[in-house]
Amino acid sequence: MEDYAEPITAKRVEKVISGYGDIRGTGGNFSYYELGPVLLLPDGNLNEEVGPQKIREYVYYMETKEPLPAEQPADEPYFMGLCRNTAYYFYYERESVTTLDHAFLAAIRTKAEGYTIYADLCAVPQETLRRHNITFKKIPRDIARL
């Protein structure tokens, strides 16, 4: 977004707030923020350089509109949190393809009315997903390179 926010725009806003010359200021304050790297690349895939924690924070927030809980259980590394009785999982490994299968489902410890699980692939039949109120969501990334 160019390099003028701090040296030009911020200075102008400060003058409006505090006043300048014979002109009285409006009062108040302001903040500006610098954006980090994009999470989704132009091709729609994840920018994996952002790192798994930032990806998890984004996914959980987009699903729940709440921040990712700080406490994560050690026995469920892919569990993100429980919100409105739905358990959210992000089954992601940067260097390998992840598949939602019966072995993954057997490892789930959190009891909930519904489950939303992100993975690269799904090997569980749709009928089983429906029966257990599981929503599978594909992680947007190019797994062909793996």
Side-chain angles (χ1 to χ4, degrees):
M1 300 273 321
E2 308 278 334
D3 289 328
Y4 57 81
E6 188 172 356
I8 298 173
T9 307
K11 300 264 188 266
R12 289 179 180 169
V13 173
E14 285 173 358
K15 286 183 179 182
V16 169
I17 290 172
S18 60
Y20 57 96
D22 293 338
I23 300 176
R24 199 170 93 200
T26 61
N29 59 31
F30 75 99
S31 298
Y32 80 93
Y33 300 89
E34 293 184 20
L35 301 176
V38 297
L39 186 68
L40 295 174
L41 299 171
D43 64 3
N45 287 323
L46 279 179
N47 176 3
E48 295 184 81
E49 299 304 316
V50 170
Q53 184 61 22
K54 288 291 183 197
I55 295 169
R56 288 167 54 88
E57 289 170 5
Y58 173 80
V59 168
Y60 191 77
Y61 183 80
M62 292 308 292
E63 286 285 350
T64 66
K65 301 303 183 239
E66 294 183 6
L68 181 69
E71 297 290 322
Q72 297 291 306
D75 62 341
E76 282 192 293
Y78 304 107
F79 177 70
M80 291 191 292
L82 184 66
C83 183
R84 293 179 280 289
N85 215 8
T86 298
Y88 293 90
Y89 288 83
F90 191 68
Y91 186 23
Y92 169 81
E93 295 289 336
R94 183 173 178 160
E95 300 301 326
S96 62
V97 176
T98 59
T99 302
L100 172 57
D101 55 16
H102 290 285
F104 182 85
L105 293 177
I108 290 177
R109 300 282 171 252
T110 302
K111 301 298 181 213
E113 289 179 10
Y115 300 85
T116 298
I117 303 172
Y118 284 79
D120 294 314
L121 303 170
C122 183
V124 178
Q126 282 295 323
E127 179 54 36
T128 303
L129 295 175
R130 255 191 307 280
R131 189 169 352 115
H132 297 285
N133 201 16
I134 299 168
T135 301
F136 165 72
K137 294 192 175 184
K138 184 179 178 335
I139 296 173
R141 65 181 183 146
D142 181 9
I143 60 173
R145 66 177 176 76
L146 303 172

